[in-house]
Amino acid sequence: MYGTIMHAPGDVRYEELAMPTIQQPTDAIIKLSATCICGSDLWPYRGANAITAPMAMGHEYCGIVVEVGSDVKTVKPGQFVVGSFVLSDNTCPHCAHGFQSSCEQREFMTGAQAEYARIPLADGTLVSTDSQPDEDLIPSLLAVSDVLGTGWYAADAARVQAGMSVVVVGDGAVGLMGVLAAKQMGAERIIAMSRHKSRQDLALEYGATDIVAERGEEGIAKIKAMTNRIGADAVLECVGTQESMTQALQVARPGSMVGFVGVPHGVQFDGQKLFFTQVGMLGGPAPVRRFLPHLMDLVLSRKINPGKVFDQQIPLADVAEGYRAMDERRAIKTLLRV
Amino acid sequence: MYGTIMHAPGDVRYEELAMPTIQQPTDAIIKLSATCICGSDLWPYRGANAITAPMAMGHEYCGIVVEVGSDVKTVKPGQFVVGSFVLSDNTCPHCAHGFQSSCEQREFMTGAQAEYARIPLADGTLVSTDSQPDEDLIPSLLAVSDVLGTGWYAADAARVQAGMSVVVVGDGAVGLMGVLAAKQMGAERIIAMSRHKSRQDLALEYGATDIVAERGEEGIAKIKAMTNRIGADAVLECVGTQESMTQALQVARPGSMVGFVGVPHGVQFDGQKLFFTQVGMLGGPAPVRRFLPHLMDLVLSRKINPGKVFDQQIPLADVAEGYRAMDERRAIKTLLRV
């Protein structure tokens, strides 16, 4: 079978690989229906994370189960499944609290940009549909695996509730999913910070009520003017830089929460400043497994269309072009057809 | 009248001062029934905060209204009142959200270690009792003004709920009030980190179920063993040093909140570490005004006895001895009789 290996920054290859096999009795093997490239895949691609050995890329996935280990009970060959990018047993105390992304057996998925993939901890990680989903729903079901689940967690961590004002910092795929999530949770005002026309349009389509293109002091002033002078009731930070984190904290009102899901790179906080700002924070890798059943239902009943975030869809064999397109920001997010 | 002035580190004097007068139509003047010394008063006393001019000390207070400005509507001369250490209008958007400690007109109280004090923004700051409280309740009513209100906010910010496991870091007066608050909120297990016998005893009396005297790795291991291996459901940080904050974050389970109320001194957070720890944080000066009516009710109906935290009660004239006793940790908290 074929899959994607990153050999060095900028060097992504589609190549022949060994067919994955059951290694633990809790494993499943799936045939991918579709997979995609994540913003976080660009960190090593751009040389920001070290590559010490060839890396099997890809952690977002959905597809058909082809084989299961002897201990797997909840999914079986022939079923369509979606799983989280974080593998979890879904039974440990962390999982019981809904933080499967801190599972005691946690592993991070790899090797999903391929025709077949091994899914460890299948029972705790995968959720199956009752029947084969319509073909046009595949992109949206794929989105649940990480990008939608992560945007949803940002809104959940920021404790978005009906009637609230919400600011989304970051107009990448996760930020756009954050807009969708805030809308679903009943936010009254959703302010998307974005400077790119195509992303602004998608944000509006997903439920943003306002676009703020300005950053820094100007952006803060504009948002305060929209939020009773005090800042938003909830803020979603979907980038992970010092600049975006500072922006997020400055547009949040005292007593509100910033849900931060962009992996922080070089971000520092001063304790006393945070104290007097009186803004709360909760972040981390999204516990997508907690949200999977609900989000899959929303997709299958056609209440949401997160798949629209894939503005480039190409064959898996062209994966290298997908990385280039996302690196050059020609694509928001690239779906790879298998 | 007489009051307390700090002239330099270690130099606190009880001296004759001008009688406070109404300066704004929203002011009230109160005759103090009792006042006290705060842990935060020790920062300048120990030279950690600069003293550029003689400082009128004291921000915790209760007493009888003797005069009100022409705009004051909710309190009147003769009434017994308790107020927050943060002065607020209680009408601005921040106040409406229950974060009076970020009020648009916010001022911090000063000059309460005195016979009389001016209370700006009286309508938004003071809460009166229906009648004169019994004398023995004065210490507990005084505690509501800051130390109990702050411990209560730590538990509120940490989102303590019935059935939870809670760790309180810090066995000062605020930490002990945090124990009391967690108990009132229905926490099932309350672990107080304390190395001092007298404070351990008071923690147990206020509802702690366990005492952990160990710190660092040893303390963490002990708490994990008590909390299903994963850490507590909520953590109250009541000190404000890097060591205590690190301790707090390490005993909190992923998905939980640390409510931090010790003013951070030299505390820094690394964004990526916080991300992968997946612990939430909310701190700041306590919005005591939000809790005043409820906490005063609990005291007046004798359901709680926070006044026991004052293990030294001396005449106001002996204020300098009170500072010495708290500085030398001979007293947890010193009440000054007026």
Side-chain angles (χ1 to χ4, degrees):
Chain A
M1 72 128 199
Y2 279 77
T4 306
I5 302 289
M6 189 180 292
H7 290 268
D11 181 6
V12 166
R13 297 182 213 162
Y14 181 66
E15 54 193 57
E16 191 163 7
L17 301 169
M19 180 72 186
T21 55
I22 299 289
Q23 293 174 21
Q24 300 286 335
T26 46
D27 288 353
I29 306 296
I30 65 166
K31 180 181 190 314
L32 277 290
S33 297
T35 180
C36 56
I37 301 170
C38 180
S40 68
D41 293 333
L42 297 180
W43 290 110
Y45 187 80
R46 289 169 173 166
N49 291 358
I51 302 173
T52 52
M55 293 164 65
M57 301 300 295
H59 54 261
E60 300 171 80
Y61 58 95
C62 63
I64 309 285
V65 177
V66 293
E67 192 185 350
V68 296
S70 55
D71 285 356
V72 174
K73 290 181 179 58
T74 63
V75 295
K76 55 187 181 196
Q79 283 185 322
F80 181 89
V81 292
V82 185
S84 165
F85 72 102
V86 183
L87 311 163
S88 61
D89 61 25
N90 211 28
T91 58
C92 83
H94 293 301
C95 290
H97 283 296
F99 281 82
Q100 290 90 343
S101 46
S102 286
C103 173
E104 292 183 337
Q105 298 201 58
R106 174 176 78 180
E107 291 179 51
F108 287 97
M109 180 64 188
T110 57
Q113 289 164 8
E115 292 177 302
Y116 293 86
R118 182 174 76 94
I119 316 291
L121 301 171
D123 274 339
T125 300
L126 299 173
V127 174
S128 62
T129 56
D130 291 338
S131 56
Q132 298 299 317
D134 293 340
E135 193 61 30
D136 68 315
L137 291 179
I138 297 294
S140 287
L141 288 165
L142 172 64
V144 174
S145 178
D146 178 350
V147 65
L148 173 60
T150 296
W152 195 273
Y153 173 59
D156 183 77
R159 302 187 193 264
V160 172
Q161 289 173 22
M164 277 190 171
S165 59
V166 177
V167 170
V168 180
V169 179
D171 63 0
V174 172
L176 293 166
M177 295 295 97
V179 169
L180 181 160
K183 174 72 179 174
Q184 284 293 315
M185 294 177 188
E188 189 174 298
R189 190 150 200 179
I190 303 171
I191 304 165
M193 302 193 76
S194 170
R195 299 192 288 195
H196 305 87
K197 182 72 170 72
S198 63
R199 293 162 189 241
Q200 290 174 354
D201 290 346
L202 203 44
L204 292 168
E205 195 172 328
Y206 278 136
T209 55
D210 303 89
I211 301 289
V212 170
E214 294 81 358
R215 296 188 182 180
E217 289 307 320
E218 219 180 327
I220 295 165
K222 213 159 165 185
I223 286 168
K224 292 242 166 137
M226 293 173 172
T227 54
N228 213 2
R229 300 189 307 277
I230 61 173
D233 297 322
V235 176
L236 283 51
E237 197 288 319
C238 307
V239 184
T241 62
Q242 183 77 58
E243 187 195 357
S244 63
M245 192 65 91
T246 303
Q247 184 86 81
L249 288 168
Q250 289 177 329
V251 298
R253 68 165 174 81
S256 71
M257 291 287 291
V258 172
F260 64 107
V261 294
V263 181
H265 280 70
V267 177
Q268 293 289 328
F269 302 101
D270 176 70
Q272 195 164 112
K273 212 163 173 178
L274 206 58
F275 182 88
F276 284 105
T277 309
Q278 201 157 30
V279 171
M281 300 204 309
L282 175 61
V288 175
R289 181 61 186 81
R290 187 197 334 161
F291 310 124
L292 266 184
H294 178 53
L295 297 180
M296 287 168 70
D297 276 353
L298 289 176
V299 168
L300 291 168
S301 59
R302 296 183 183 273
K303 293 198 178 99
I304 59 173
N305 185 12
K308 242 196 134 170
V309 79
F310 296 109
D311 58 347
Q312 184 184 50
Q313 301 202 10
I314 57 177
L316 174 59
D318 297 338
V319 59
E321 155 57 16
Y323 275 80
R324 279 193 298 274
M326 282 182 60
D327 179 41
E328 294 161 10
R329 291 180 75 90
R330 280 185 283 119
I332 297 174
K333 195 167 177 71
T334 300
L335 180 142
L336 303 166
R337 288 193 302 267
V338 184
Chain B
M1 71 129 197
Y2 279 76
T4 306
I5 301 290
M6 189 180 293
H7 291 268
D11 181 7
V12 167
R13 300 181 211 163
Y14 182 67
E15 54 192 55
E16 188 160 15
L17 301 169
M19 180 72 186
T21 55
I22 298 289
Q23 292 174 24
Q24 300 287 333
T26 46
D27 288 351
I29 306 296
I30 65 166
K31 180 178 189 316
L32 278 287
S33 298
T35 180
C36 55
I37 302 171
C38 181
S40 68
D41 293 334
L42 297 181
W43 289 110
Y45 187 80
R46 290 170 172 166
N49 291 355
I51 302 172
T52 52
M55 291 164 66
M57 300 303 293
H59 55 261
E60 300 172 80
Y61 57 95
C62 62
I64 309 285
V65 177
V66 292
E67 191 185 352
V68 297
S70 56
D71 287 354
V72 174
K73 288 178 180 63
T74 62
V75 295
K76 56 188 181 198
Q79 283 184 321
F80 180 89
V81 292
V82 185
S84 166
F85 72 101
V86 182
L87 312 163
S88 61
D89 61 25
N90 212 24
T91 58
C92 84
H94 292 302
C95 291
H97 283 295
F99 281 81
Q100 289 91 344
S101 46
S102 286
C103 173
E104 291 182 336
Q105 297 200 60
R106 175 179 77 181
E107 289 178 52
F108 288 96
M109 181 65 188
T110 57
Q113 289 164 7
E115 293 176 304
Y116 293 85
R118 180 176 76 93
I119 316 290
L121 301 170
D123 274 339
T125 301
L126 300 173
V127 174
S128 62
T129 55
D130 290 338
S131 57
Q132 298 300 318
D134 293 340
E135 193 60 32
D136 68 317
L137 291 179
I138 298 293
S140 287
L141 288 164
L142 172 64
V144 175
S145 180
D146 178 350
V147 65
L148 174 60
T150 296
W152 195 272
Y153 173 59
D156 183 79
R159 299 184 195 271
V160 173
Q161 288 172 23
M164 276 188 173
S165 59
V166 177
V167 169
V168 180
V169 178
D171 63 1
V174 173
L176 293 166
M177 295 294 99
V179 170
L180 182 159
K183 174 75 179 172
Q184 284 293 314
M185 293 177 188
E188 190 174 297
R189 188 149 200 176
I190 303 172
I191 305 165
M193 299 191 79
S194 171
R195 298 192 290 195
H196 305 87
K197 181 73 172 70
S198 63
R199 294 162 191 239
Q200 291 173 354
D201 290 345
L202 203 45
L204 291 169
E205 193 171 332
Y206 278 137
T209 55
D210 303 89
I211 301 288
V212 170
E214 294 82 357
R215 295 191 183 179
E217 289 306 320
E218 220 180 327
I220 294 165
K222 209 156 169 190
I223 286 167
K224 292 239 166 141
M226 293 173 173
T227 54
N228 213 4
R229 302 189 306 278
I230 61 174
D233 297 322
V235 176
L236 283 52
E237 197 291 316
C238 306
V239 184
T241 62
Q242 184 76 58
E243 187 195 356
S244 62
M245 192 65 92
T246 302
Q247 185 85 83
L249 289 168
Q250 288 178 330
V251 298
R253 70 166 173 80
S256 71
M257 291 287 291
V258 172
F260 64 106
V261 295
V263 181
H265 279 70
V267 177
Q268 294 288 327
F269 302 101
D270 176 71
Q272 197 166 108
K273 213 162 170 178
L274 207 58
F275 182 88
F276 284 105
T277 310
Q278 198 156 32
V279 171
M281 300 202 311
L282 175 61
V288 175
R289 180 62 183 82
R290 189 200 327 161
F291 310 124
L292 266 185
H294 178 53
L295 297 180
M296 288 168 68
D297 276 352
L298 289 177
V299 168
L300 292 167
S301 58
R302 297 182 184 270
K303 293 200 178 95
I304 58 173
N305 184 12
K308 242 197 135 167
V309 80
F310 297 108
D311 58 347
Q312 183 184 50
Q313 300 202 14
I314 56 177
L316 176 59
D318 297 337
V319 60
E321 154 58 14
Y323 274 79
R324 278 193 298 275
M326 283 183 59
D327 179 40
E328 295 162 10
R329 292 180 75 90
R330 280 186 283 118
I332 298 174
K333 195 168 175 75
T334 300
L335 180 141
L336 304 166
R337 289 193 302 266
V338 184

